[in-house]
Amino acid sequence: MSSHDFDVVVIGGGLHGLSAALHIAREGRSVVVLERAWVGRHASGASAAGVRTLGRDPAELALSLEARHMWHAIAELVGDDCGFHSHGQVRIAESEAEIEKLERRVALIQGLGYRHEELVDRVELRRLVPALAPHCMAAIVVREDGAADPHRTIIAFRRSAEAAGVVIHEGQGVVAIEQRAGRWAVRTSADAYVAPVVVNAAGAWAARIAAMVGDDIPLGTKTSMMIVTERVEPFLGPVVTAAGRALSFKQTDKGTLLVGGGRQGIPDLDRETSTVNLQEIAASARTVCELFPGVSDVRVARVWAGLEAITTDMVPVIGPSPQAAGIIHVFGFSGHGFQLVPVAGAVVADFAVRGRTDREVGALQAQRLMVQRAAA
Amino acid sequence: MFRKLYESDRGKATVTIDGVAIEAEVGEPVAAVILRSEPAHARIHPVSDQPRAPYCMMGVCQDCLAVVDGVASTQTCRTAVRDGMVIQRQRGARSISNVPTV
Amino acid sequence: MSRQFDALILGAGPAGMSAAIRARALGLEVAVVDEQPAPGGQIWRDIERSTAHGRSAALGSDYAAGAEVVAAFRSSGATYLAETTVWQVEPGYRVYIRRGNEMSILSAKTLLIATGAMERPVPFPGWTLPGVMTVGAAQILLKSAGQVPDVPVWIAGNGPLMLLYVNQLLDAGGQVAGILDTAVRANRWAAVFHLASALASWDELVKGIRWVSRLRGIPVVRGVRDIEAVGESKLEAVRYRTENDIDGAVTTGILLVHEGVIPDIHLSLALDCRHDWNEVQQCFVPTLDEWGQTSMGGVFVAGDGGGIGGARAAGAAGEIAAYGMARVLGRLTGTAAGAGAAAPRRLRARALAIRPLLDTLHCARRQVTAPADKTVVCRCEDITAGTIRAAAKAGARDPNQVKAITRCGMGPCLGRQCGAIASRIIAETLGRSMVETGLSRVRPPLRPITMAQLAALGDSKT
């Protein structure tokens, strides 16, 4: 076994690993990314790629708003527009009770000083989303939100990372991490890589990586299912979610329709695979038909389920290990990590290069989840 | 492109393809009728923008898709002719029903 | 609707029908699901109608023989679901079906996949032009719509099916302008080694020789290596080059292509069955035991879907699988099942005796599985071989990864037309075997269904 010295080893070749590697490399550090399967294999490749600030937990809101600025200039960051378009995100209400829910949300956000979420009435909703079923009454709108193309984004981040000098090894899963003379030795089945800093961007397997350095962080697995259809003539601009239902619905720049919303398939972390639960996804299809009746005879091309991590409070861990010096965690995005990709990598670079960050990540530290476990 | 060998044994039908009437046989595949029409193609491909005609007649290739009685993306090789059927060649990506496009 | 059966048979062709007849005779509760409106599969397609109108003889003796099997199947007592599409299969085993807009789930402890073969996809420059179609398609048009090309047709390819269609077309009063024979000429020498074993299937040999003799008078260009279809918005001409680097071109509005048939493994892949790569047949074939059982216990394959063998072999394999399924269900002892399966096993062996000869003679030329860069490989998304090669060269090593990057296989055919070719391109670019490379993962639905139909699944009782 040969060994390789780097400034930073990044574990996980998904978008968060790539973003972290890119930002760190651009600060002049040498970086290697270790990916067990291939780049973008799991959550990133299965993502609905919503670029959304709407509805974010206040714990990650400041980061999300910064990320939105980055998305609007994404070509400057990664040399490609990643298929990003900004026709807005809309969360609809179908009843008085749901309108009240939306009103409470807007009040909460405004109370924190944010004005990006806007309540609109039936008329404006109809104008924004003409294909929506007429019973929908109101909505929260964020006009600068949108969506991107996940595979183009993966390719763009990968290319820019490599252009910045990042070395990417696919087909190399990490089996052990050891201390070696004050640095970390990260072992795969084929090789070992040594660095003072290791970034844990291992997605659904991040808790296993964390355990290798002595961090016991509770982490669940989510395997949200998606439906994609045949190509359809453009009829839908914004991404649509619903206050009272599990739904995320968009039309991609290729014309295909993408239905998500978080209904769960059946995960298998060890085999790195997940299978679809058809009864559950049938419910998503029913939701879409009820909210967009014109879509009923559009053909479903494919149904799949991705594999990603969820935390107990549904917001990520972005920050250093509480006890293992040099370990930086960036995982647990709980089904809404895509939009945060550009900024999360910048936060990791802050920690990796400067040992600190000015960005608001106080509520995203690993300790909060570990304390909960200790108390439980 | 093709011609029928015999008088229909399942009953005669008249269908229209993009408004043009054509004689057909009840129960034969709609794709067969398209291949007897002019131009003998079913759709314009949504990516290449080129015409496509039925290729496999088995339900695999998906090139025989047309709008049949208002239903878009109908596999015409798997659809049996009925008298009075209205067939339209599908141009590019299909649309959804009854909604103004963006 | 949802029901439990002893055996679920997918496909009502020779293999499926024979299996159903035998399984019923053994006392099993059997359901047979098929997409066509009437039984017969591809080889005996529309046979009840053709027989009723006295047309079956014109389609050859093999075709006419099917009428008896269909009649026996109709009276076997099997639950026969015609015009029914299978759009997902799951361990258990559960089969998700669609009849019109009605969605339901059938379940059984044993499953027989008898969905047969498909034409080997043959990408070449211009193959997406209207006017280019498979010989199989022309044969279906003959059987199901009684129609033939309205001009003398050019045919490019090789294989028994091509010969059969030429005979059927001529018998029906059609005309063949010429044949571009793509059989690799050197194969004939290799084929001689198999002549002796092929004699066990002497009647097939005689039939083949008779078919070939009908070609007299038709222009045949031998040793064709490359073809290209040319035209503005439809086929106008075909350019070709032979093994001896002789170039030619023919004017035509219809080109029928055929490079053999390969097992349709979509369902066996969906169930994660093991498959082997058959180097001579240039295709993946499910791994089967002496009953036709796959690596998934209780899942069987019979007929061309388990390896190309023709209708007679398919019928025998169906019967063998029925004994196998009864044995797995505990309704027959191993000894009894073995005794019952002895005769069909002998029949099958005899019927398959000609295969090594045919496979060697018709082993596909390289250009079929390694198309030039400009050739469209993914018809649905219009992706070229060059794009796939570039993705593999750039480091994509897994077919699923190539699919994600290029969109090859993401269209409505669900990768059935392009998957094997894409894997072949990846394998060659990376210097790997087909077994190492594999195929991209099969996901539901196995046939397109509408959003409303998927939603309706929630209404069905499981």
Side-chain angles (χ1 to χ4, degrees):
Chain A
M1 290 230 280
S2 64
S3 77
H4 306 276
D5 289 342
F6 288 88
D7 293 325
V8 180
V9 172
V10 173
I11 301 174
L15 277 169
H16 285 289
L18 291 175
S19 178
L22 171 66
H23 282 97
I24 294 169
R26 283 198 178 148
E27 302 230 32
R29 302 296 200 265
S30 67
V31 185
V32 63
V33 172
L34 303 176
E35 163 55 50
R36 176 164 44 194
W38 62 83
V39 160
R41 165 73 178 89
H42 289 290
S44 300
S47 174
V51 180
R52 175 178 61 81
T53 58
L54 190 163
R56 290 263 171 192
D57 188 308
E60 49 175 36
L61 201 37
L63 275 187
S64 179
L65 288 165
E66 184 183 351
R68 192 177 71 198
H69 286 305
M70 297 168 95
W71 273 103
H72 280 271
I74 197 73
E76 284 165 34
L77 184 65
V78 293
D80 182 58
D81 72 26
C82 300
F84 172 62
H85 52 82
S86 157
H87 300 307
Q89 287 242 0
V90 167
R91 176 158 296 165
I92 60 148
E94 298 173 76
S95 68
E96 289 296 340
E98 286 173 16
I99 295 179
E100 279 169 32
K101 206 163 132 182
L102 297 185
E103 284 169 346
R104 282 198 297 275
R105 162 72 188 183
V106 174
L108 170 79
I109 293 301
Q110 288 180 353
L112 293 169
Y114 299 108
R115 310 220 76 83
H116 58 285
E117 293 189 8
E118 182 193 335
L119 208 46
V120 299
D121 65 7
R122 182 180 238 132
V123 170
E124 177 63 2
L125 177 56
R126 200 112 191 94
R127 194 189 68 80
L128 286 169
V129 192
L132 195 54
H135 72 271
C136 299
M137 300 168 75
I140 292 178
V141 172
V142 176
R143 297 178 196 266
E144 298 86 358
D145 278 350
D149 180 321
H151 295 293
R152 269 181 70 182
T153 307
I154 291 167
I155 290 169
F157 270 84
R158 181 197 186 133
R159 282 208 184 119
S160 344
E162 286 175 323
V166 173
V167 175
I168 299 176
H169 289 305
E170 292 169 303
Q172 289 212 42
V174 170
V175 300
I177 306 176
E178 293 145 1
Q179 280 272 307
R180 206 186 275 185
R183 292 185 299 158
W184 295 102
V186 180
R187 275 200 296 118
T188 68
S189 49
D191 241 319
Y193 303 85
V194 183
V197 175
V198 175
V199 175
N200 175 9
W205 298 267
R208 298 183 183 188
I209 299 296
M212 290 178 190
V213 298
D215 280 344
D216 179 18
I217 305 177
L219 196 65
T221 302
K222 208 162 139 172
T223 175
S224 302
M225 297 186 290
M226 308 269 320
I227 301 170
V228 70
T229 69
E230 61 181 325
R231 290 170 187 252
V232 181
E233 228 177 50
F235 73 93
L236 178 64
V239 179
V240 176
T241 57
R245 309 199 198 209
L247 178 75
S248 143
F249 184 54
K250 71 166 63 72
Q251 183 165 29
T252 69
D253 58 0
K254 302 206 163 22
T256 57
L257 307 180
L258 217 48
V259 180
R263 287 197 188 270
Q264 296 298 296
I266 303 146
D268 187 339
L269 269 191
D270 293 320
R271 286 181 60 223
E272 292 184 60
T273 189
S274 46
T275 47
V276 168
N277 179 330
L278 285 173
Q279 293 291 349
E280 280 288 300
I281 203 66
S284 291
R286 149 137 305 126
T287 300
V288 169
C289 289
E290 284 172 7
L291 292 176
F292 291 87
V295 163
S296 295
D297 65 358
V298 172
R299 295 158 110 214
V300 169
R302 204 160 65 256
V303 179
W304 71 89
L307 272 178
E308 58 195 339
I310 44 169
T311 60
T312 46
D313 55 12
M314 302 296 279
V315 289
V317 176
I318 312 178
S321 159
Q323 51 81 29
I327 302 293
I328 303 168
H329 295 302
V330 59
F331 64 82
F333 289 86
S334 307
H336 42 83
F338 184 85
Q339 192 257 1
L340 296 174
V341 160
V343 74
V347 174
V348 172
D350 286 343
F351 282 114
V353 173
R354 281 168 285 285
R356 51 174 294 280
T357 186
D358 290 327
R359 296 172 158 107
E360 268 182 56
V361 294
L364 304 178
Q365 299 312 301
Q367 288 91 316
R368 77 191 194 271
L369 300 172
M370 297 159 85
V371 161
Q372 285 168 24
R373 162 157 283 178
Chain B
M1 205 190 288
F2 276 79
R3 64 181 170 85
K4 276 182 100 63
L5 286 171
Y6 54 83
E7 275 289 301
S8 82
D9 52 40
R10 285 177 285 195
K12 289 202 171 83
T14 307
V15 304
T16 59
I17 302 181
D18 284 342
V20 175
I22 181 167
E23 293 295 303
E25 179 190 8
V26 172
E28 66 169 327
V30 172
V33 186
I34 288 172
L35 286 167
R36 297 199 302 273
S37 72
E38 189 54 45
H41 68 251
R43 69 185 186 125
I44 305 295
H45 194 277
V47 178
S48 73
D49 212 34
Q50 297 299 305
R52 292 285 180 96
Y55 172 79
C56 77
M57 286 300 296
M58 270 185 72
V60 175
C61 75
Q62 310 292 317
D63 264 329
C64 68
L65 304 183
V67 183
V68 175
D69 286 340
V71 178
S73 297
T74 301
Q75 279 182 273
T76 56
C77 72
R78 290 225 158 286
T79 307
V81 163
R82 274 191 327 268
D83 188 33
M85 201 171 241
V86 175
I87 301 154
Q88 295 155 290
R89 296 181 180 86
Q90 185 154 303
R91 277 167 182 73
R94 50 87 51 79
S95 49
I96 62 165
S97 27
N98 303 324
V99 177
T101 52
V102 154
Chain C
M1 179 248 289
S2 90
R3 274 185 64 186
Q4 178 86 24
F5 293 89
D6 291 323
L8 280 176
I9 298 176
L10 309 183
M17 287 193 290
S18 292
I21 293 164
R22 176 54 60 193
R24 284 294 303 145
L26 293 173
L28 304 186
E29 285 299 313
V30 177
V32 178
V33 177
D34 191 88
E35 285 186 325
Q36 306 283 357
Q42 295 305 333
I43 186 171
W44 297 327
R45 192 166 170 139
D46 270 315
I47 190 162
E48 286 174 319
R49 200 166 51 85
S50 303
T51 308
H53 290 93
R55 284 197 299 270
S56 61
L59 290 162
S61 56
D62 285 344
Y63 184 77
E68 276 181 44
V69 180
V70 170
F73 169 67
R74 286 275 194 197
S75 52
S76 68
T79 301
Y80 167 49
L81 298 168
E83 289 182 296
T84 302
T85 302
V86 172
W87 61 274
Q88 174 62 324
V89 287
E90 282 175 353
Y93 290 99
R94 281 184 305 281
V95 173
Y96 291 72
I97 60 171
R98 176 182 73 76
R99 310 188 74 192
N101 281 321
E102 209 188 281
M103 310 295 277
S104 46
I105 305 170
L106 305 176
S107 39
K109 292 259 178 326
T110 64
L111 197 62
L112 172 62
I113 299 170
T115 46
M118 52 184 278
E119 291 253 358
R120 183 192 303 279
V122 190
F124 58 89
W127 71 310
T128 55
L129 281 169
V132 179
M133 66 178 66
T134 62
V135 164
Q139 203 173 42
I140 288 169
L141 285 164
L142 180 57
K143 288 175 185 164
S144 298
Q147 67 190 42
V148 296
D150 62 359
V151 292
V153 69
W154 274 87
I155 304 178
N158 73 101
L161 204 88
M162 189 181 90
L163 278 178
L164 171 61
Y165 177 71
V166 168
N167 277 261
Q168 291 170 331
L169 178 62
L170 295 174
D171 282 338
Q175 290 174 280
V176 179
I179 294 176
L180 299 174
D181 179 357
T182 61
V184 176
R185 309 191 72 177
N187 286 346
R188 286 185 294 177
W189 299 114
V192 164
F193 289 110
H194 299 292
L195 206 46
S197 53
L199 287 171
S201 237
W202 66 270
D203 52 344
E204 297 279 332
L205 263 181
V206 166
K207 187 174 65 181
I209 292 167
R210 212 169 353 108
W211 286 350
V212 170
S213 71
R214 289 297 285 287
L215 299 185
R216 224 169 287 136
I218 298 172
V220 178
V221 180
R222 299 209 183 275
V224 171
R225 194 184 68 208
D226 298 299
I227 58 177
E228 176 173 351
V230 181
E232 245 320 291
S233 56
K234 59 182 181 185
L235 177 68
E236 284 155 20
V238 179
R239 290 204 271 255
Y240 63 87
R241 171 169 292 180
T242 69
E243 290 169 357
N244 301 325
D245 282 321
I246 294 169
D247 287 347
V250 298
T251 308
T252 182
I254 303 182
L255 174 69
L256 304 180
V257 293
H258 180 75
E259 298 279 354
V261 287
I262 56 176
D264 182 353
I265 56 173
H266 207 60
L267 283 168
S268 46
L269 284 174
L271 282 164
D272 275 327
C273 299
R274 240 199 78 197
H275 291 76
D276 296 319
W277 175 253
N278 185 312
E279 189 58 36
V280 178
Q281 291 181 1
Q282 292 286 298
C283 59
F284 279 106
V285 177
T287 314
L288 303 175
D289 70 10
E290 73 269 25
W291 303 100
Q293 187 167 209
T294 67
S295 58
M296 300 298 277
V299 177
F300 293 74
V301 178
D304 281 354
I308 302 305
R312 245 179 258 181
E319 239 201 302
I320 297 164
Y323 282 109
M325 297 197 310
R327 180 177 155 269
V328 160
L329 289 165
R331 307 284 260 275
L332 276 185
T333 63
T335 317
R345 278 190 178 131
R346 279 193 300 272
L347 195 69
R348 183 164 177 266
R350 226 174 23 247
L352 289 177
I354 197 174
R355 292 313 309 182
L357 174 70
L358 290 177
D359 290 346
T360 306
L361 261 180
H362 300 297
C363 182
R365 73 210 143 89
R366 222 191 134 270
Q367 286 68 28
V368 155
T369 49
D373 275 351
K374 67 174 174 176
T375 313
V376 167
V377 167
C378 172
R379 291 179 69 106
C380 296
E381 293 286 316
D382 210 50
I383 312 290
T384 64
T387 302
I388 297 166
R389 262 185 204 109
K393 279 194 189 123
R397 37 195 27 83
D398 185 288
N400 294 291
Q401 192 181 6
V402 170
K403 178 175 168 180
I405 293 169
T406 64
R407 288 193 64 85
C408 171
M410 286 196 181
C413 96
L414 312 170
R416 289 170 79 198
Q417 290 264 175
C418 61
I421 305 281
S423 286
R424 170 54 139 250
I425 292 170
I426 297 166
E428 291 205 350
T429 307
L430 300 177
R432 295 178 162 188
S433 71
M434 283 300 282
V435 172
E436 267 185 277
T437 306
L439 295 166
S440 64
R441 188 162 165 204
V442 172
R443 297 179 193 278
L446 305 178
R447 289 279 190 283
I449 53 174
T450 67
M451 196 69 76
Q453 287 162 356
L454 179 56
L457 180 65
D459 296 337
S460 75
K461 293 170 267 294
T462 50

